[in-house]
Amino acid sequence: MLKTILITLLVLGAVAAAGAAWAKHKGYCSADSRIHHITERVGRKLDLNEHQLGRLDVFAETLKGMRNEHQDHRTAMKDRITELLSAPSLDRDRAVALIDERYQTMGDRKRAMVDAFADFSDSLEPEQRAQLAGLIGDRMMHRWSHPRWAH
């Protein structure tokens, strides 16, 4: 019995190590690599021309910039929340102000993201736009664990 458990653990460890090595080799371990992979895939599936690829790259750079800003802001916000919670009593007005600041930051960023995506979307032909909508719809259904045939 012990031998079986050890063999099973070794096999699972080997599979996990192989999966991690594959992911690292494919470059999906960082957000920037993942965004790059997705833009390459979208460009390939939609058969984009140079102008459209440029618009897609601008959208990808906008997303990367927003993510980096979000991460920086998140670190700063964590420190401020820790400071707020370490006080003997919770300063409610300051807590609400932190939440309002967070929503304001998100509100400021959403316009840039929508503009970058709209510029890319507007550069597509109607067939490409329909194909993109299908790709997004399929991905959303798959991501939410719905079978692809159910929609």
Side-chain angles (χ1 to χ4, degrees):
M1 181 69 171
L2 180 63
K3 213 185 243 188
T4 304
I5 291 172
L6 287 175
I7 291 172
T8 303
L9 288 175
L10 284 173
V11 168
L12 288 175
V15 169
W22 179 82
K24 187 166 180 71
H25 172 71
K26 286 299 223 176
Y28 301 150
C29 292
S30 74
D32 289 346
S33 299
R34 186 69 181 152
I35 290 172
H36 179 69
H37 169 73
I38 291 169
T39 55
E40 282 185 349
R41 186 168 181 235
V42 167
R44 195 173 54 248
K45 288 204 175 250
L46 298 181
D47 192 29
L48 301 178
N49 62 33
E50 290 300 316
H51 174 70
Q52 294 166 332
L53 283 172
R55 295 288 186 172
L56 181 59
D57 288 339
V58 168
F59 177 59
E61 289 303 316
T62 302
L63 289 178
K64 287 177 188 178
M66 289 177 64
R67 183 189 179 283
N68 291 338
E69 287 176 25
H70 175 75
Q71 292 294 69
D72 294 341
H73 185 63
R74 182 178 178 191
T75 303
M77 186 63 77
K78 180 187 75 98
D79 295 339
R80 292 168 69 190
I81 289 171
T82 302
E83 178 187 322
L84 184 68
L85 293 175
S86 65
S89 65
L90 182 66
D91 183 354
R92 294 172 186 188
D93 292 332
R94 192 164 167 221
V96 169
L98 285 176
I99 293 170
D100 289 342
E101 179 185 333
R102 183 71 171 165
Y103 281 133
Q104 180 62 39
T105 304
M106 289 170 37
D108 293 343
R109 293 180 188 153
K110 68 183 174 187
R111 186 65 180 174
M113 183 182 70
V114 168
D115 287 342
F117 182 76
D119 289 343
F120 167 65
S121 177
D122 292 346
S123 73
L124 297 176
E125 300 294 326
E127 301 84 28
Q128 290 173 318
R129 186 174 289 156
Q131 190 176 5
L132 178 64
L135 289 172
I136 292 171
D138 284 349
R139 181 65 185 152
M140 289 176 74
M141 291 299 287
H142 176 68
R143 184 165 180 92
W144 292 332
S145 300
H146 296 285
R148 291 182 188 271
W149 51 265
H151 53 67

